[in-house]
Amino acid sequence: NTMTINKNKVASGLRMGLLKAAVNNGEVTALDAENGGQIIIDGAVKSSSAATGVKADKGSVTAGSVDLSGVTTGLEAANGGAITTGGTKITAKDGGSAVSASDKGTVSLGKEGVDSNLTGTVDAAGRSTVNAVLATSGSSLTGGVNKDTGSTVNMTLKNKALWTNNSAAGSSVTNLNGGVQQISGGTG
């Protein structure tokens, strides 16, 4: 099943086959594609105070941009699910995860010329992949990166994008291309 939401359309509490979307604040998950469901959103996904902002569990979500605040987990791809976003702004609650990929999930975020700001950890486990492009001077990641040995985290920092690594345990990325890393806690 595929659902496409174009700019200037409002989706609230939608359910289509194996696919559900609820973009009201305070929902457990603001946007959820599950069991092969596919959600394509031309414009922005915005939510505050949802436990999980955008989730793809055996499904896929493509969004022009996301703006998520007060979430425990911003983007979550699990069980082969995939999330792709352009401009990305995520502010996770203290100790929360801006991005989480597990069990062969894939999260790809950011693009050239568009600000992306992540506050919270980036986590990859279970042969999953995170591709993060922070490609403007206004782009940043404030948080650690945690990955297991079977997972991949590719991070591109361009045009003075900044990663403030505040993880006391240190961080691990597979590929780090360009940019500036500021270490304020862990070993980097």
Side-chain angles (χ1 to χ4, degrees), residues 77-154:
N79 300 307
I83 298 172
T84 303
T85 71
T88 304
K89 182 179 180 183
I90 300 171
T91 304
K93 294 178 184 177
D94 286 343
S97 180
V99 176
S100 175
S102 62
D103 300 316
K104 300 181 185 177
T106 301
V107 176
S108 298
L109 63 93
K111 68 180 187 177
E112 297 285 334
V114 178
D115 288 351
S116 288
N117 300 99
L118 308 173
T119 303
T121 62
V122 173
D123 302 308
R127 296 183 292 160
S128 62
T129 302
V130 175
N131 300 305
V133 176
L134 305 176
T136 66
S137 60
S139 293
S140 64
L141 165 61
T142 302
V145 176
N146 308 303
K147 73 171 205 65
D148 65 13
T149 55
S151 296
T152 301
V153 175
N154 299 310

Side-chain angles (χ1 to χ4, degrees), residues 2-34:
T2 301
M3 176 175 59
T4 302
I5 301 171
N6 296 315
K7 290 181 182 176
N8 302 321
K9 302 279 182 173
V10 176
S12 179
L14 299 175
R15 184 166 177 83
M16 185 176 91
L18 301 174
L19 168 66
K20 62 184 176 184
V23 291
N24 290 327
N25 291 340
E27 296 289 334
V28 173
T29 299
L31 188 62
D32 188 353
E34 60 185 15

Side-chain angles (χ1 to χ4, degrees), residues 17-75:
L18 301 174
L19 168 66
K20 62 184 176 184
V23 291
N24 290 327
N25 291 340
E27 296 289 334
V28 173
T29 299
L31 188 62
D32 188 353
E34 60 185 15
N35 299 319
Q38 181 180 24
I39 301 172
I40 302 168
I41 298 178
D42 215 342
V45 175
K46 293 185 177 187
S47 181
S48 61
S49 69
T52 301
V54 176
K55 182 176 181 178
D57 187 347
K58 298 181 186 174
S60 67
V61 175
T62 302
S65 65
V66 296
D67 184 351
L68 308 169
S69 62
V71 293
T72 303
T73 303
L75 304 176

